Amino acid sequence: DMIEEINLARPGDGGANFGWPIMEGTQPYDGGPTAGLTAPVAEYRHGPGAREGESVTGGHVYRGPLESLRGEYVFADFVNPNVWSVASSRLLPTSTFPSSEFRIRTDFVPNAGTIDNVVSFGVDSANNLYIVDFDGDVFVIEPTPGALATAASVAAPQRVHVEAASLVLAGLRGGMGGR
């Protein structure tokens, strides 16, 4: 295993064959016929670098109040503490987006806790993006307080207490600390 991939499955794409184990990303893996396989829309190599990792955690296209992030597909690596985004308009079924162009989300530094083992993403009814970490922390991405939603600045992701937040995330419970 040397590559992590992101695949695009749209309504009507049922039956797409993403190629495992014949292919790993765009690279041959176990071999076999490649006709009819659907290539990934993005991929990255295994490693410790800023645009590398070991296990992709799929994300969401951001549709929340922060205009500068709107339309970005936000995703992460579970093993390495990397969170990235890519303009969703650039993720096309006809090409594979290179990791060299991933936007490293260095602005996603929380006010408390650490985003280091992302297991899931979620959104609420206001389209705010939540990041769920393996240790139980849940973070919300919001504009910098006092800044316009059109500003390019992202506030420190706020750690939220799951029981106090009006959201349900796959049965996570307690122990996360206050917001």
Side-chain angles (χ1 to χ4, degrees):
D1 291 334
M2 297 300 296
I3 296 175
E4 294 299 311
E5 65 184 74
I6 297 170
N7 297 296
L8 176 63
R10 299 169 298 187
D13 285 349
N17 183 343
F18 297 115
W20 182 257
I22 296 167
M23 303 289 290
E24 182 180 41
T26 57
Q27 304 301 309
Y29 188 72
D30 274 350
T34 59
L37 299 181
T38 302
V41 294
E43 67 181 7
Y44 62 91
R45 298 193 67 72
H46 286 186
R51 289 181 172 88
E52 298 175 318
E54 301 292 332
S55 177
V56 67
T57 301
H60 282 274
V61 174
Y62 183 82
R63 294 182 174 90
L66 188 62
E67 189 174 308
S68 63
L69 191 57
R70 206 169 295 141
E72 293 279 311
Y73 176 68
V74 180
F75 61 106
D77 188 81
F78 172 74
V79 177
N80 294 347
N82 295 326
V83 179
W84 306 287
S85 71
V86 172
S88 60
S89 62
R90 298 202 52 204
L91 298 176
L92 305 171
T94 56
S95 63
T96 302
F97 193 83
S99 62
S100 61
E101 296 184 38
F102 291 178
R103 182 171 178 190
I104 302 166
R105 300 311 312 200
T106 56
D107 50 348
F108 286 12
V109 177
N111 65 335
T114 304
I115 300 173
D116 55 1
N117 296 111
V118 177
V119 294
S120 188
F121 290 86
V123 293
D124 62 18
S125 61
N127 289 317
N128 291 304
L129 179 67
Y130 291 81
I131 300 173
V132 182
D133 204 73
F134 183 72
D135 62 7
D137 285 338
V138 177
F139 304 91
V140 61
I141 305 302
E142 299 175 318
T144 301
L148 297 174
T150 58
S153 60
V154 174
Q158 302 294 303
R159 186 167 60 175
V160 297
H161 190 274
V162 173
E163 292 173 338
S166 59
L167 102 131
V168 176
L169 294 173
L172 288 175
R173 300 202 194 317
M176 270 66 84
R179 181 175 169 164

